[in-house]
Amino acid sequence: MYYYALGNQLNLGKFNMFFDFMYSNEDLDRKGIITSIIPAYSESDHNAYDARYMSLVTKLNYRFQPK
């Protein structure tokens, strides 16, 4: 299993934001999410192979009041 995570935060006065990137490359679907989606695997008794997950998360924030 390979897992990569990167994040960045930007602060500009009253405005700030962050962005996170997460990527997981798994030989075997340990979480079982891909296995439950694909009908050929969900009916069998083993998990899917070569599963990959990617997540993007961001948040933007602007403060109208100083505190």
Side-chain angles (χ1 to χ4, degrees), residues 2-42:
Y2 293 98
Y3 181 78
Y4 303 98
L6 302 169
N8 200 0
Q9 183 174 354
L10 175 67
N11 293 313
L12 298 171
K14 293 184 177 183
F15 174 77
N16 67 3
M17 70 171 284
F18 73 84
F19 175 77
D20 291 336
F21 169 78
M22 294 158 280
Y23 178 76
S24 175
N25 186 358
E26 305 176 7
D27 289 335
L28 182 65
D29 183 24
R30 295 192 288 164
K31 296 177 184 90
I33 298 171
I34 302 297
T35 303
S36 65
I37 293 172
I38 301 172
Y41 287 110
S42 60

Side-chain angles (χ1 to χ4, degrees), residues 41-63:
Y41 287 110
S42 60
E43 296 172 359
S44 66
D45 59 347
H46 64 277
N47 286 1
Y49 299 106
D50 197 23
R52 296 178 185 163
Y53 297 96
M54 183 174 60
S55 299
L56 304 169
V57 179
T58 189
K59 180 179 178 183
L60 305 169
N61 187 26
Y62 183 80
R63 288 185 267 269

